[in-house]
Amino acid sequence: MPSLETLLAVIVATALFAYMPGPSTLYAAAQTIARGRRGGWMAALGIHLGGYVHVVAAAFGLAVLFSLVPVLYTVLKIAGAGYLIWLGIRLILSKNAVDVHSGEFTAKSPRKAFYESMIVEVLNPKTAIFYVAFLPQFTELSAALPVWAQLLILGTIVNVMFSSADVLCVLLADRVVTLFKESPSANRVAERIGGGLLALLGLNLALNRQ
């Protein structure tokens, strides 16, 4: 088990990254605006579970492939950005009906937010690179646990911290959504805003050279 000092250092350092506006927090907010509170919660859950794919990859060295095969990073980056753009355009052009009394979309929509969010997170190579670059800084070769086990523990803590920021964004975005509940036209505007945010986020990821 990592020492208490190491755990505190990880929590403080992660908080600095997690609570700065970033792709996952903006994505969770966009899904909340477009699909309502349940959609936001399911999006946050999808991002969280997708994050564990990167935690396991970092722990067992799979993400090192990005340094050995640079084209793999580019392919995943373009695929993830393209998927975000496609989701955004689909929301903008969607004609799904909304229940203005409940303020929620159809029951299927939040489930789709969950699956889409998990795919977006898994296809984000920057998340993998972050875990590979960040987590080893807090491991100790002399610790009782092997390095891969330390990475799994630390990665879980980091993932939970990032998800707490996503949850905060869902709560804040839900406050905005409540303003649109009584108006069908306002609901449509909210859906388009959410779709536009997703598309812009995808374009930013695609055009970012890092």
Side-chain angles (χ1 to χ4, degrees), residues 170-184:
V170 170
L171 293 173
L172 293 176
D174 183 55
R175 298 294 296 172
V176 175
V177 171
T178 57
L179 300 177
F180 296 99
K181 283 186 177 180
E182 300 303 323
S183 171

Side-chain angles (χ1 to χ4, degrees), residues 112-129:
K112 290 176 67 177
F114 169 74
Y115 295 120
E116 291 168 358
S117 301
M118 183 177 289
I119 292 173
V120 166
E121 182 67 6
V122 171
L123 289 178
N124 185 2
K126 287 191 174 182
T127 303
I129 294 297

